[in-house]
Each structure stands twice: as structure tokens, then as C-alpha cells.
Amino acid sequence: MSLPAILAPSLLAGDHANLGASALVAANSGAPWLHIDIMDGHFVPNLTFGPEVPAALRRAGATQFFDTHLMVENPDAFIEPFAKAGANLLSVHIEPNYDHRRTLARIRELGCQCGIVLNPGTPAAAIESLLDCVDLVLVMTVQPGFGGQPFRRDMLPKLQQVDQWRRERGLKFRLEVDGGIDLASALECRSAGADTFVAGTSFFRAADKITFAKTIAQLP
């Protein structure tokens, strides 16, 4: 049985001059999660937010589930500051060289849920041994670094493989997609097993964000 669908609007596509207003727009749509992309300028060729951003959003009254995606070369240096800043879930990439299982365990020790992330060029097999210790698997459907890229349909078999392992092993982690997600690509990803949908450009440009959020939440 599939988990209920969840929309996580991406703050990266919001108004960087008024992130609090963008977070409020996301909350008012009915979306329960807010996706916060953290980029260090090394692992990906872009810089985004430090821990002060989620901390400031919390002080301003934001109550969403903060789905915090660490696109960083050294996640161990970032997990504690973001946990203290109000993250609910911290996702780290499989690609950098560090002790993945230990880092995931440390995230849990800090009181957050933990996730593991796959870039488009990384096979699903790279995370297979970690599926028993995560709350979420994020399959990137674009190369991370910048918003507004087109959805990569060739990632659908990877989603199907991770979902198959989840079903076979009776695991409960969420399966998230991020990159080029709109209502059409979300439906394709849902059919491939995804249940959590990061939407940035398509969400913030939608004329009716409440309908957008409801449509995602009602995906079969």
C-alpha cells in the first residue's frame, strides 16, 4: 500500500528577498512540508542558505515540517547546526566520501529524521545497504544545483527499483523526488512509487497554489 502523497514546496524557488513570505505562501496552500535546499558551493556549483534561515523562519512562526536537503561535501559539519535551527528531517548525499551509516545515526541522535539522496548519475545499488536505517530516500530527477531544470524521465526506473526493495523488505521510508516536478511529472513519479514531491518553480508560479497542493495530495 502506497504512503499518502505529500507536497514539499521548495524554498529555493521562493522570493529570496522575503523568504518568510514564501514559507507562508507554502503553508497557506495546505502543503505540510517545506523543502529547504542547502548548497555549499563545493558539492554543487551554487550557494544557498545557512542555518540562520530555518532558525529565522521558526522564530517567525513557521510550523511546517522542514525537509532539509544537505547538498554539501562534508555533511558532518552541517547536521548539528541545522538540527538546532529547526530541521525535522536532514537528508545527506551518498556520493561524498564519509561514514554514511554513522552520519545517519547521528542525525537521529540529534532528534531529526534522516534521509539519503541519489544524484541522477548514481545507481540505486549505492544506497541499498542503507535502506534499513533511513526515514526517506530522495531520488534527484535533475542534476542538483539550480532550480527550473526539466524533469528527467530516465530516473523513473530508479524510483521503481527503490520502491520494489521497500515493498519486498517491508520498510517504511518515504520515497521523494526533486527536480522538474509539476503535476504531470508527479503523476508519473507516483506511478513509479514516489510519495513525496518537491516542487519549486511549478509551485511558486502556479496561479492557484491551493489547488496545486490538493492535486498532489490526492494522487492515487
Side-chain angles (χ1 to χ4, degrees):
M1 188 71 176
S2 297
L3 294 172
I6 283 179
L7 171 65
S10 175
L11 195 63
L12 184 64
D15 180 357
H16 287 220
N18 196 342
L19 294 173
S22 294
L24 185 60
V25 166
N28 288 343
S29 75
W33 286 26
L34 184 70
H35 189 80
I36 304 176
D37 286 308
I38 309 303
M39 306 181 190
D40 65 356
H42 297 282
F43 181 65
V44 291
N46 196 3
L47 284 167
T48 54
F49 314 123
E52 181 55 27
V53 168
L57 293 175
R58 289 297 191 210
R59 289 195 299 270
T63 59
Q64 297 109 304
F65 184 96
F66 281 1
D67 172 27
T68 310
H69 176 191
L70 299 180
M71 286 169 270
V72 298
E73 194 68 37
N74 180 17
D76 291 314
F78 290 85
I79 56 177
E80 187 166 349
F82 279 98
K84 289 180 177 178
N88 297 103
L89 185 151
L90 288 163
S91 293
V92 293
H93 275 258
I94 190 67
E95 291 85 10
N97 183 23
Y98 62 98
D99 188 333
H100 303 94
R101 189 172 285 270
R102 186 186 67 188
T103 298
L104 292 165
R106 178 59 180 152
I107 292 171
R108 288 247 180 95
E109 289 172 3
L110 291 166
C112 296
Q113 294 183 32
C114 64
I116 195 73
V117 191
L118 287 161
N119 275 345
T122 305
I127 64 163
E128 185 179 0
S129 66
L130 297 172
L131 295 179
D132 64 334
C133 64
V134 297
D135 301 291
L136 177 141
V137 171
L138 169 53
V139 173
M140 293 299 301
T141 46
V142 299
Q143 185 63 30
F146 297 92
Q149 299 180 63
F151 173 71
R152 286 187 53 170
R153 194 161 280 104
D154 59 328
M155 294 298 104
L156 292 172
K158 188 186 296 186
L159 280 172
Q160 292 168 337
Q161 177 62 81
V162 176
D163 182 50
Q164 179 181 334
W165 286 330
R166 176 173 60 173
R167 292 172 183 273
E168 289 173 350
R169 301 172 193 186
L171 299 172
K172 303 297 184 183
F173 61 82
R174 283 197 159 268
L175 182 50
E176 185 173 52
V177 285
D178 181 2
I181 300 300
D182 55 20
L183 297 178
S185 57
L187 183 58
E188 290 186 78
C189 292
R190 182 64 164 171
S191 296
D195 47 60
T196 309
F197 304 88
V198 177
T201 303
S202 60
F203 172 80
F204 280 103
R205 290 185 181 174
D208 186 342
K209 296 173 179 59
I210 293 175
T211 297
F212 188 104
K214 284 183 177 178
T215 302
I216 295 290
Q218 294 169 0
L219 287 173

